[in-house]
Amino acid sequence: MWGGRFVSGPDAIMEEINASIGFDYKFASQDIRGSLAHVAMLAEQGIIEREAAKAITEGLEQVGREIEAGSFTFSRALEDIHMNVESRLAEIVGPDAGRLHTARSRNDQVALDFRLWIRDTIDTLDLQLQGLQQALAQRALDHAGSVMPGFTHLQSAQPVTFGHHLMAYVEMLGRDRSRLIDARKRLNECPLGAAALAGTSFPIDRAMTAKTLGFDRPTANSLDSVSDRDFVLETLSAAAICAVHLSRFAEEIVIWATPQFGFAALSDKFTTGSSIMPQKRNPDAAELVRGKSGRVIGALTGLLVVMKGLPLAYSKDMQEDKEGTFDALQALSLCIAAMTGMVGDLTPDLKRMKAAAGSGYAIATDLADWLVRALNMPFRDAHHVTGRLVAMAAERKIPLEKLSLEDMQSVDKRIVAQVHDVLGVEKSVRSRTSYGGTAPNNVRAQAKAWLKKLAREDKRGG
């Protein structure tokens, strides 16, 4: 492609380090879409003849069909997806294929392809996350009143419901989707026409190509157009946060599935056995979701390091933006699918969860709150009184609610029999009626609201 300037071919090592077709073949569909829009604009502007444009268009469509059918042969010698497509186009339509590259560069071409690919991928991820939210919200509705321990520091804190716990992840995923959608809005500008870095002297219509390709507008600065990878970084950042959320949930599933906790179990569909220990049922799907989060976070870090020292405009370092991104977003997609499957497969042990909810004196805060409400006691004093009662119950190795009224009055004489009305895990969760609290009615309302919202998204296509 640059034979006019060079008199010999590249060294084998140069070809090895330089070629990108081994991974940027993933841009095939986007590359052809971009070229179709570009050639239509060139013809409309009178930059190339309509007959040549017609032949190029038909040739590009044939190349697209060949790639989709798997009959296209990719060549490392042609370096990247752009030259592979153009070379095959030349075989189909002859010399007119060379007119396709008028008024553009591989710099704005790859920036366009990548934006289109990221945009398509965000749409897919958003649809997957929507499905995971629906699965979580439905399970939450089913278990709005199922009591389990709530933890801080992985120590029993206060009783919550299983539905409330699941709804926390619905909220997290909602923010993840919002971040991805925001990234999509910002990337939706078309770099095509920026050419190598300075624009072009041909009378192109960048608004036309932007509209054809579904962008809101053309990018405003040609230097920024070809050197910007913010849209990749922002998407990877949103993906990394999402991966962290999935990893946290996966960690909880791993913990719940241990015999020591025994809160929930996965079926054979999402577990594996041991080659030596016949009794084992390992939650490998959850562990792999937890592990793959590192790949997503690593891809973000890697690209930040690549970009941090690059002057404007394009540098070959930027070829390193693709492999990590492809791998990370593919891994995230797989993790979302696996987590959606596990949410549907997970079988909670409601009896064990409820029993554990009362351990560790988790209803102590309910007692302190009652002292404040019923006796008008300052909360710090109520905290102190409750702490003494917890110490008494712990010394006797009995639950807090098993302390007699006389026991409680030995610590504070003002305590009356009604105190027992608030002691108990189910009473505790029912009392948490503040907005966003764990009361079963709250959880049902939130789950139904989310399911209704997600159903509306289904009807309008996301």
Side-chain angles (χ1 to χ4, degrees), residues 87-162:
S87 176
R88 176 61 182 139
L89 181 66
E91 293 174 355
I92 297 169
V93 306
D96 276 343
R99 300 185 186 280
L100 174 61
H101 209 54
T102 305
R104 75 174 183 185
S105 161
R106 286 191 300 170
N107 292 355
D108 62 340
Q109 192 176 355
V110 71
L112 171 66
D113 290 359
F114 212 173
R115 282 179 187 255
L116 289 171
W117 187 88
I118 290 285
R119 194 175 70 181
D120 292 344
T121 301
I122 286 175
D123 291 344
T124 299
L125 291 171
D126 182 65
L127 191 61
Q128 286 187 284
L129 288 169
Q130 178 192 1
L132 178 52
Q133 283 184 298
Q134 286 174 317
L136 285 163
Q138 186 58 59
R139 295 302 307 266
L141 185 60
D142 296 340
H143 291 284
S146 302
V147 180
M148 69 174 291
F151 298 98
T152 61
H153 309 277
L154 203 56
Q155 304 290 316
S156 292
Q158 292 178 318
V160 296
T161 70
F162 186 46

Side-chain angles (χ1 to χ4, degrees), residues 10 15 21 90 110 134 225 276 296 322 336 341 347 359 383 416 426 434 442:
E15 183 176 314
I21 189 60
V110 71
Q134 286 174 317
S225 300
I276 189 172
V296 185
K322 299 171 191 64
I336 297 169
T347 301
S359 67
H383 188 285
V416 295
E426 290 183 331
S434 59
N442 286 13

Side-chain angles (χ1 to χ4, degrees), residues 18-51:
N18 192 50
S20 60
I21 189 60
F23 48 87
D24 69 12
Y25 71 89
K26 292 179 183 287
F27 286 158
S29 172
Q30 290 80 16
D31 196 69
I32 290 171
R33 280 160 57 194
S35 291
L36 287 169
H38 184 64
V39 73
M41 180 276 295
L42 292 177
E44 183 67 24
Q45 294 298 105
I47 297 171
I48 67 172
E49 296 178 354
R50 291 193 178 273
E51 282 301 310

Side-chain angles (χ1 to χ4, degrees), residues 192-354:
L192 190 60
L197 75 161
T200 178
S201 59
F202 289 96
I204 60 173
D205 185 348
R206 293 191 64 205
M208 177 182 172
T209 48
K211 183 178 179 180
T212 300
L213 293 166
F215 289 101
D216 295 329
R217 64 192 69 85
T219 51
N221 183 284
S222 59
L223 280 169
D224 181 50
S225 300
V226 298
S227 61
D228 167 45
R229 290 299 183 269
D230 289 3
F231 64 96
V232 188
L233 289 167
E234 187 172 5
T235 302
L236 285 175
S237 179
I241 296 171
C242 181
V244 167
H245 290 155
L246 296 180
S247 181
R248 294 181 73 181
F249 191 22
E251 168 70 359
E252 292 191 314
I253 291 174
V254 170
I255 291 172
W256 294 346
T258 61
Q260 291 77 12
F261 270 73
F263 286 1
L266 292 168
S267 77
D268 295 354
K269 295 178 182 178
F270 291 96
T271 57
T272 66
S274 165
S275 64
I276 189 172
M277 295 171 284
Q279 82 281 7
K280 293 297 291 296
R281 181 191 291 276
N282 301 320
D284 282 8
E287 291 173 8
L288 287 165
V289 168
R290 187 177 59 186
K292 286 181 184 295
S293 64
R295 297 170 75 157
V296 185
I297 296 164
L300 170 61
T301 304
L303 185 54
L304 285 167
V305 173
V306 167
M307 297 301 299
K308 72 175 181 60
L310 298 187
L312 299 180
Y314 181 83
S315 297
K316 197 69 171 186
D317 313 50
M318 291 165 67
Q319 186 166 290
E320 292 297 309
D321 59 0
K322 299 171 191 64
E323 287 181 278
T325 302
F326 292 156
D327 179 77
L329 298 185
Q330 181 182 3
L332 180 61
S333 177
L334 181 57
C335 288
I336 297 169
M339 190 58 75
T340 304
M342 283 187 283
V343 167
D345 187 67
L346 200 67
T347 301
D349 187 331
L350 302 181
K351 184 176 180 180
R352 187 149 182 173
M353 280 185 172
K354 183 177 177 180

Side-chain angles (χ1 to χ4, degrees), residues 377-392:
M377 191 181 291
F379 183 80
R380 288 302 173 197
D381 294 345
H383 188 285
H384 179 75
V385 169
T386 302
R388 289 181 63 189
L389 291 171
V390 168
M392 179 187 294

